[in-house]
Amino acid sequence: MTTPQTFRIAAIPADGVGAEVVAAGRAVLDALAEDSGGAFSFAWEEFPWGCDYYTRTGKMIDDDGLDRLKDFDAIYFGAVGWPTVPDHISLWGLRLKICQSFDQWANVRPVHFLPGVQSPLRKADDTDLDWVVVRENSEGEYAGLGGRNLAGRGPGGEVAVQSALFTEVGCERIMRFAFDLARTRDRRKVSSVTKSNAQQYGMV
């Protein structure tokens, strides 16, 4: 007899619609587990981190948060961001802190219509949309390279520099991931999309 497998999942609803998405997703996953005949189950632990937590504590995540997350099988993340907290604080303080620290480099987003759900895209309901967006999630603009300098020159003298980073290893692994994924699908095609028109080095 196969031993039932229990997956430990850290749930971080965070902000806004994230709470609804995570709650609904948990209900679906728990239903799948119940219907598995005891083959697997989920053990959930929810964390309160996000913009509301930042407003109360001055931190987007606890100091030991990453240590607490590292032993889970997966992290179920909702959404981050709220009008009361600047975007660079909310994004870098929670989601990117997790992504960068655990080197979560592949952002994978399936795109297709669900039965009975009307699409907000005009004239798209009769179209068979079925693709996967694969985005590099740890380099490029997410590298966080840059800084502010020359503030001592007085008002108007400060300079902000923001640099993107592209390593050969980072580029190759996300490209291979996309091509390997395409090989498993009916239509074996990969399209490369970049914002490269004004960048003569990093995205050529």
Side-chain angles (χ1 to χ4, degrees), residues 11-19 46-63 65 68-69 76-87 89-98:
I12 309 175
D15 307 315
V17 72
E46 188 165 299
F47 296 89
W49 304 320
C51 289
D52 184 60
Y53 191 79
Y54 177 84
T55 301
R56 290 185 282 109
T57 67
K59 301 176 181 178
M60 289 296 298
I61 184 174
D62 290 332
D63 293 337
R68 294 163 68 184
L69 291 175
Y76 191 2
F77 194 91
V80 69
W82 201 248
T84 57
V85 179
D87 286 343
I89 291 177
S90 60
L91 182 63
W92 280 95
L94 187 56
R95 193 186 76 78
L96 289 182
K97 187 178 185 71
I98 293 170

Side-chain angles (χ1 to χ4, degrees), residues 89-138:
I89 291 177
S90 60
L91 182 63
W92 280 95
L94 187 56
R95 193 186 76 78
L96 289 182
K97 187 178 185 71
I98 293 170
C99 291
Q100 295 281 8
S101 298
F102 296 136
D103 199 22
Q104 297 174 335
W105 49 270
N107 186 319
V108 183
R109 300 182 178 186
V111 180
H112 61 270
F113 289 138
L114 298 176
V117 178
Q118 184 176 5
S119 170
L121 301 176
R122 184 177 298 176
K123 298 182 180 180
D125 286 317
D126 296 330
T127 304
D128 185 19
L129 297 185
D130 184 15
W131 70 80
V132 180
V133 177
V134 176
R135 189 188 74 192
E136 207 291 324
N137 205 44
S138 65

Side-chain angles (χ1 to χ4, degrees), residues 73 79 120 128 167 169 187:
D73 294 304
D128 185 19
T167 68
V169 170
R187 189 179 186 197

Side-chain angles (χ1 to χ4, degrees), residues 9 19 21 25-26 64-65 77 105 116 120 140 158 163 183 186 196:
I9 312 295
V21 170
R26 285 181 59 169
D64 64 346
F77 194 91
W105 49 270
E158 188 175 30
S163 299
R183 289 190 181 100
D186 292 335
S196 60

